[in-house]
């Protein structure tokens, strides 16, 4: 391969905004450049799978872009100073590596090692499999982009989570449910897209951060999408699967549980009916004939009006096991979502609690699901709010595979108009101690399978990409996509480490840019919380659209509000003694903390307790004064974000700068609206003046 390769030419026509963190900027002419040119001048990829072809293409593009070389070509194995292969194809002992070293990493792990033989320096990137080689290559390229030394490398690395999944909520008409970055890159006008180059670039982005699975359609499967598992679409979907296969990703499809009826073949979808069982087995065989490595099905059933086993007086285990049996012989997986609740329940009934639904539905079924079923559980018991406690299902299911579900798309968190870096939030979830098997039973130990020895487990998330030029609407929202992949690969990475990586890869190594953007990212979650819904109450947002304040807003409006504010106070009583009893779903240590008004952390106070406006927080502020103060503070903090960003003009590509500045202007308008509506509402409810004398009405 040389620089005349069409792939390289295409790469240089792409904008920095489009290339995201795979910009591969020119390395500055310093001592590090000479070090890189010595090692990277001659590379050899020893392997002939589709994944090794992808590695060759990525190296060709990256090394040419970064190295100042007029020509980049793969050399012979004998002449190579950068060797990429797997542990079966290279005599590791020739390079001072004991083959037994690879017994400590899993199938997707890799070794990066510098080797000096007296005549020349060599870097080895050795995967346990070709997937490991791919991930090792991207890790090595991150080192180059970060200007790190590669003279004495010895990196042994593998992912902590087996399942690392992306959920697209794309519809076949090209729309995206909860999408804020343009239209779908997979579908348009009830057809599969013809722009497979963009699909390939997305596969590159996902592989570069270690994502290994993707479902490409919305969990709400409508009429046309039900046909994705038929001959009408399956061959074109197989083409997309082939693109992802070359980058180590398995393709899944969201399916309609009522497909046997909707496709006109049967009169029932009863999971215990023999004809239904045979129908799904035949359907699975048809799919695997076209997509041999098909990952399996993602299912949303019996929630928000979607069909499921409840229609036949069956339970979730019956429904999931029906599909699991159909996929089992092919190695397929059923991902069964636990976002299940009665959306028509009367929220005005103080004993009714949507937060309890997932636990109540699935805890009694623990141990009744087949081994190739995974229950997908949202990080919190409600719906991706700015602050909510960890779902009590984590730790409660001891005999059932689980994946944790995050949302990268900022549905309730500013919709990629407002800046909100989500990795700090996700870190809190992963580090949360459930006490399921005593102290140290963290969520990350549950979802990586180590606490209960799950066969298959991991983390999934709702994607935030669309066909906008920069993929994520707001350029800074790319940090959430990048951060998700890096965090689920290694949950022990800090939010700060991940943010620094992304800033460097995206904007280069200018110290001032790194300092300012890092500060903006790390402060942004707290800022968004300040001007929206602090103290854990959540919601107060426009129903259905989910952007902008609507203090009494509720999705199903006739059932009241989420916050139960009256003239005396606000918050939801979820205690055992006087409330909904939700706190009883936690293990004893957390139950006692959350159930106690005095011990409950302030950030969750209104999620667990209904308190007077004059209740004094641990900070010394009253609840009402905290609301006034935080909303005024949040607006000023957004102004500070704008000042920081404006100071960086001229230090990045103009399109990137103007895109973010435009979004920050929208965020300031949004923050002011939240401040004014929320403060006015609670002043009128409580009749309590702001002690600082600010105008709030």
């Amino acid at each position: 391969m040389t620089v005349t390769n069409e792939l390289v030419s295409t790469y240089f026509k792409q904008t920095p905004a489009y290339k995201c963190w795979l910009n591969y900027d020119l390395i500055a002419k310093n001592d590090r450049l000479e070090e890189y040119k010595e090692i990277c001048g001659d590379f050899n990829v020893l392997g002939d799978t589709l994944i090794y072809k992808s590695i060759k293409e990525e190296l060709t593009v990256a090394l040419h872009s970064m190295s100042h070389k007029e020509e980049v070509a793969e050399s012979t194995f004998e002449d190579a100073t950068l060797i990429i292969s797997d542990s079966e194809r290279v005599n590791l002992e020739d390079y001072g590596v004991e083959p037994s070293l690879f017994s400590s990493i899993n199938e997707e792990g890799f070794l990066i090692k510098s080797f000096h033989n007296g005549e020349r320096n060599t870097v080895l990137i050795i995967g346990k499999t070709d997937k490991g080689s791919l991930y090792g290559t991207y890790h090595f390229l991150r080192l180059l982009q970060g200007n790190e030394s590669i003279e004495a490398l010895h990196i042994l690395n593998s992912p902590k989570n087996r399942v690392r999944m992306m959920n697209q909520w794309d519809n076949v008409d090209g729309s995206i449910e909860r999408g804020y970055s343009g239209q779908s890159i997979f579908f348009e006008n009830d057809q599969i897209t013809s722009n497979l180059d963009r699909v390939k670039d997305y596969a590159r982005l996902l592989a570069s951060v270690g994502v290994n699975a993707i479902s490409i359609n919305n969990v709400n499967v409508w009429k046309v999408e039900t046909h994705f598992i038929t001959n009408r679409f399956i061959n074109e979907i197989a083409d997309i699967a082939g693109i992802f296969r070359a980058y180590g990703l398995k393709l899944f499809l969201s399916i309609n549980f009522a497909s046997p009826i909707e496709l006109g073949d049967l009169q029932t979808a009863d999971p215990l009916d023999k004809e239904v069982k045979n129908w799904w087995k035949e359907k699975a065989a048809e799919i695997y004939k076209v997509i041999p490595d098909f990952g399996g099905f993602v299912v949303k059933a019996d929630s928000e009006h979607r069909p499921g086993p409840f229609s036949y007086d069956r339970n979730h285990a019956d429904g999931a096991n029906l599909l699991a049996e159909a996929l089992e012989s092919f190695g397929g997986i059923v991902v069964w979502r636990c976002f299940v609740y009665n959306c028509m329940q009367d929220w005005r009934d103080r004993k009714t609690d949507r937060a309890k639904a997932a636990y109540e539905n699935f805890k009694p079924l623990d141990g009744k699901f087949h081994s190739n079923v995974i229950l997908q559980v949202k990080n919190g018991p409600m719906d991706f709010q700015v602050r909510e406690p960890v779902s009590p299902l984590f730790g409660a299911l001891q005999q059932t595979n689980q994946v944790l579900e995050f949302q990268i798309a900022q549905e309730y968190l500013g919709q990629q108009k407002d800046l909100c870096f989500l990795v700090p939030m996700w870190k809190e979830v992963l580090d949360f101690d459930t006490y399921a098997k005593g102290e140290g039973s963290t969520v990350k130990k549950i979802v990586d399978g180590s606490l209960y020895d799950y066969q298959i487990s991991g983390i999934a998330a709702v994607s935030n990409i669309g066909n906008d030029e920069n993929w994520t609407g707001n350029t800074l929202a790319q940090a959430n996509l990048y951060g998700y992949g890096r965090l689920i690969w290694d949950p022990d990475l800090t939010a700060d480490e991940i943010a620094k990586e992304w800033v460097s890869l995206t904007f280069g190594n200018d110290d001032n840019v790194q300092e300012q953007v890092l500060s903006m990212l790390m402060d942004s979650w707290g800022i968004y919380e300040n001007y929206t819904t602090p103290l854990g109450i959540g919601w107060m947002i426009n129903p259905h659209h989910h952007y902008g304040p609507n203090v009494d807003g509720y999705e199903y409006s006739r059932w009241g509000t989420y916050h139960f504010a009256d003239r005396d106070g606000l918050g939801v009583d979820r205690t055992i003694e006087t409330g909904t009893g939700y706190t009883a779903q936690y293990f004893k240590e957390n139950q006692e903390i959350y159930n106690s008004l005095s011990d409950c952390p302030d950030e969750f106070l209104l999620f667990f307790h209904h308190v007077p406006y004059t209740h004094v927080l641990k900070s010394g502020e009253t609840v009402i004064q905290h609301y006034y103060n935080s909303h005024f503070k949040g607006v000023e903090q957004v102004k500070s974000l704008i000042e920081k960003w404006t100071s960086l003009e001229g230090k990045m590509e103009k399109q990137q700068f103007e895109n973010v500045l435009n979004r920050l202007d929208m965020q300031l308008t949004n923050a002011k609206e939240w401040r004014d509506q929320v403060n006015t509402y609670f002043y009128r409810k409580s009749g309590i003046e702001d002690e600082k004398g600010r105008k709030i009405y």
Side-chain angles (χ1 to χ4, degrees):
M1 291 186 181
T2 68
V3 296
T4 58
N5 184 289
E6 182 181 351
L7 183 77
V8 176
S9 300
T10 300
Y11 171 83
F12 281 101
K13 293 176 183 176
Q14 297 169 350
T15 66
Y18 180 87
K19 289 185 281 191
C20 300
W21 55 87
L22 299 182
N23 259 309
Y24 300 133
D25 287 338
L26 203 64
I27 302 297
K29 290 189 175 181
N30 53 26
D31 292 341
R32 193 74 79 212
L33 175 62
E34 297 308 310
E35 177 187 339
Y36 291 173
K37 290 175 73 173
E38 177 187 1
I39 297 296
C40 303
D42 298 291
F43 73 87
N44 181 265
V45 178
L46 194 61
D48 56 5
T49 66
L50 283 174
I51 289 177
Y52 280 120
K53 179 184 177 184
S54 298
I55 293 172
K56 292 178 185 180
E57 290 183 347
E58 200 71 31
L59 282 171
T60 301
V61 166
L63 297 181
H64 172 67
S65 181
M66 290 190 288
S67 69
H68 297 256
K69 293 191 69 173
E70 291 298 321
E71 182 173 305
V72 174
E74 185 180 13
S75 67
T76 64
F77 177 79
E78 291 73 21
D79 294 331
T81 51
L82 175 61
I83 297 171
I84 300 92
S85 188
D86 58 65
S87 55
E88 299 297 319
R89 298 172 187 268
V90 173
N91 188 342
L92 297 174
E93 293 178 340
D94 289 347
Y95 298 92
V97 178
E98 289 292 330
S100 60
L101 187 67
F102 281 81
S103 64
S104 64
I105 60 176
N106 60 39
E107 295 300 300
E108 296 175 303
F110 58 84
L111 170 71
I112 304 178
K113 179 177 173 56
S114 303
F115 178 75
H116 311 277
N117 66 359
E119 299 178 5
R120 62 181 180 180
N121 298 325
T122 303
V123 169
L124 300 175
I125 303 174
I126 307 296
K128 195 163 185 177
T129 62
D130 55 358
K131 284 188 179 182
S133 301
L134 177 71
Y135 300 137
T137 298
Y138 279 118
H139 190 101
F140 179 72
L141 292 174
R142 274 198 299 273
L143 297 178
L144 300 187
Q145 290 174 277
N147 213 25
E148 302 286 338
S149 175
I150 59 174
E151 285 189 343
L153 297 174
H154 186 91
I155 300 170
L156 192 66
N157 200 323
S158 61
K160 300 289 178 61
N161 292 294
R162 177 176 171 183
V163 176
R164 305 180 304 281
M165 190 172 192
M166 192 65 68
N167 292 166
Q168 302 296 140
W169 281 4
D170 297 34
N171 300 312
V172 74
D173 64 0
S175 65
I176 302 174
E177 184 166 340
R178 309 310 178 190
Y180 314 108
S181 312
Q183 296 289 97
S184 172
I185 69 167
F186 298 101
F187 314 115
E188 53 189 353
N189 302 319
D190 289 350
Q191 300 292 330
I192 307 296
T193 183
S194 58
N195 185 5
L196 296 182
D197 288 339
R198 180 139 195 178
V199 173
K200 179 178 179 178
D201 285 334
Y202 187 40
R204 291 173 56 226
L205 290 172
L206 295 181
S208 74
V209 291
V211 175
N212 67 357
I214 183 170
S215 58
I216 62 170
N217 64 306
N218 190 0
V219 293
N220 292 314
V221 183
W222 309 114
K223 183 174 182 179
V224 178
E225 291 89 346
T226 299
H227 290 262
F228 281 176
I229 57 175
T230 71
N231 290 334
R232 178 175 171 184
F233 288 105
I234 197 64
N235 288 307
E236 291 174 281
I237 289 174
D239 293 336
I240 292 176
I243 292 171
F244 283 117
R245 182 181 304 118
Y247 287 89
L249 290 105
K250 282 193 173 185
L251 183 140
F252 287 68
L253 288 173
S254 297
I255 58 99
N256 182 345
F257 189 82
S259 291
I261 300 172
E262 296 291 332
L263 295 176
D265 296 325
L266 299 176
Q267 298 298 311
T268 181
D270 182 351
L272 300 189
D273 184 279
K274 289 184 179 180
E275 289 188 348
V276 173
K277 289 184 176 184
N278 288 334
W279 189 94
W280 279 108
K281 288 179 180 179
E282 290 174 3
K283 183 58 62 180
E286 291 173 13
I287 295 170
Y288 279 94
K289 186 175 181 179
V290 182
I291 310 174
D293 61 345
F294 181 64
F297 298 140
V298 176
V299 189
K300 176 179 178 179
D302 287 311
S303 185
E304 297 182 327
H305 309 296
R306 302 311 300 146
F310 286 9
S311 299
Y312 309 95
D313 293 322
R314 313 302 187 195
N315 61 39
H316 290 287
D318 294 329
N321 292 342
L322 160 74
L323 301 171
E325 290 169 7
L327 297 174
E328 190 171 22
S329 64
F330 303 99
I333 293 169
V334 176
V335 180
W336 191 272
R337 297 180 79 243
C338 294
F339 184 57
V340 173
Y341 71 103
N342 177 9
C343 61
M344 303 309 293
Q345 65 190 3
D346 189 345
W347 188 244
R348 294 166 299 185
D349 179 353
R350 296 296 178 104
K351 293 297 181 181
T352 297
D353 193 351
R354 170 174 164 177
K356 296 165 63 177
Y359 188 100
E360 290 176 340
N361 273 277
F362 290 95
K363 172 60 177 172
L365 298 176
D366 189 24
K368 297 182 179 180
F369 293 89
H370 284 358
S371 61
N372 60 327
V373 173
I374 313 177
L375 297 186
Q376 183 164 307
V377 184
K378 287 188 177 184
N379 60 271
M382 296 297 275
D383 194 10
F384 302 129
Q385 297 302 294
V386 67
R387 178 82 68 170
E388 57 180 302
V390 169
S391 170
L393 263 185
F394 293 111
L397 298 175
Q398 302 182 15
Q399 303 174 66
T400 307
N401 300 318
Q402 285 181 274
V403 288
L404 164 63
E405 180 181 356
F406 289 133
Q407 188 184 58
I408 310 173
Q410 297 167 225
E411 178 181 351
Y412 295 95
L413 283 80
Q415 299 188 354
Q416 289 146 241
K417 303 178 184 74
D418 298 23
L419 174 61
C420 191
F421 183 50
L422 301 176
V423 175
M425 175 196 292
W426 298 334
K427 280 287 295 181
E428 285 194 9
V429 172
L430 290 165
D431 291 339
F432 177 76
D433 196 342
T434 66
Y435 292 94
K437 291 180 70 174
E439 188 174 1
S441 303
T442 57
V443 171
K444 62 186 175 186
K445 289 182 180 178
I446 293 169
V447 298
D448 72 14
S450 62
L451 191 69
Y452 290 128
D453 196 27
Y454 294 150
Q455 294 185 37
I456 42 176
S457 58
I459 303 176
V462 182
S463 175
N464 68 341
I465 71 105
N467 68 356
D468 280 359
E469 173 68 17
N470 67 357
W471 297 89
T472 57
N474 186 336
T475 297
L476 295 185
Q478 292 176 4
N480 287 328
L481 182 61
Y482 177 86
Y484 168 72
R486 294 290 288 130
L487 184 63
I488 65 173
W489 178 279
D490 183 2
D492 292 327
L493 290 171
T494 69
D496 191 74
E497 287 172 328
I498 291 170
K500 284 179 179 176
E501 279 185 6
W502 178 79
V503 174
S504 176
L505 297 175
T506 303
F507 297 114
N509 296 306
D510 181 281
D511 290 341
N512 187 40
V513 173
Q514 290 190 351
E515 179 183 353
Q516 297 298 335
V517 179
L518 178 63
S519 172
M520 292 173 66
L521 291 175
M522 296 302 293
D523 292 342
S524 60
W525 176 33
I527 293 172
Y528 186 83
E529 183 178 26
N530 277 341
Y531 66 77
T532 55
T533 55
L535 304 182
I537 196 64
W539 310 100
M540 297 188 189
I541 203 162
N542 281 314
H544 308 295
H545 181 50
H546 296 169
Y547 186 82
N550 186 329
V551 183
D552 281 337
Y554 179 70
E555 207 76 13
Y556 305 95
S557 56
R558 66 181 176 277
W559 298 135
T561 70
Y562 285 101
H563 54 70
F564 291 129
D566 53 31
R567 67 179 184 177
D568 299 315
L570 77 157
V572 184
D573 184 354
R574 290 188 162 100
T575 63
I576 297 169
E577 296 81 5
T578 60
T580 70
Y582 167 77
T583 56
Q585 293 184 347
Y586 289 93
F587 288 93
K588 179 175 179 291
E589 291 83 353
N590 289 317
Q591 178 189 129
E592 291 178 349
I593 291 172
Y594 291 148
N595 201 63
S596 166
L597 180 59
S598 60
D599 294 337
C600 184
D602 283 347
E603 61 266 28
F604 295 129
L605 178 70
L606 301 183
F607 188 93
F608 288 105
H609 298 276
H610 186 85
V611 299
Y613 294 108
T614 54
H615 175 83
V616 179
L617 302 170
K618 294 175 177 61
S619 65
E621 293 178 312
T622 62
V623 167
I624 189 63
Q625 193 58 45
H626 181 86
Y627 252 69
Y628 295 155
N629 290 344
S630 66
H631 284 82
F632 278 110
K633 180 180 179 180
V635 171
E636 297 307 309
Q637 288 175 309
V638 176
K639 292 178 182 177
S640 178
L641 292 177
I642 294 173
E643 290 174 2
K644 289 179 179 180
W645 186 255
T646 303
S647 72
L648 303 178
E649 186 171 9
K651 295 196 171 186
M652 63 190 65
E653 195 262 345
K654 184 178 179 181
Q655 183 184 20
Q656 292 173 307
F657 176 81
E658 291 182 348
N659 166 262
V660 174
L661 184 59
N662 175 262
R663 299 292 169 132
L664 289 172
D665 286 340
M666 286 191 280
Q667 182 171 0
L668 181 59
T669 299
N670 192 35
K672 289 178 178 178
E673 191 177 0
W674 273 97
R675 176 199 63 193
D676 295 343
Q677 289 199 28
V678 172
N679 282 350
T680 299
Y681 179 95
F682 285 109
Y683 169 71
R684 292 176 178 175
K685 278 281 187 183
S686 69
I688 300 174
E689 298 277 357
D690 171 31
E691 65 184 25
K692 297 184 179 181
R694 294 164 294 197
K695 183 178 180 180
I696 57 174
Y697 53 91

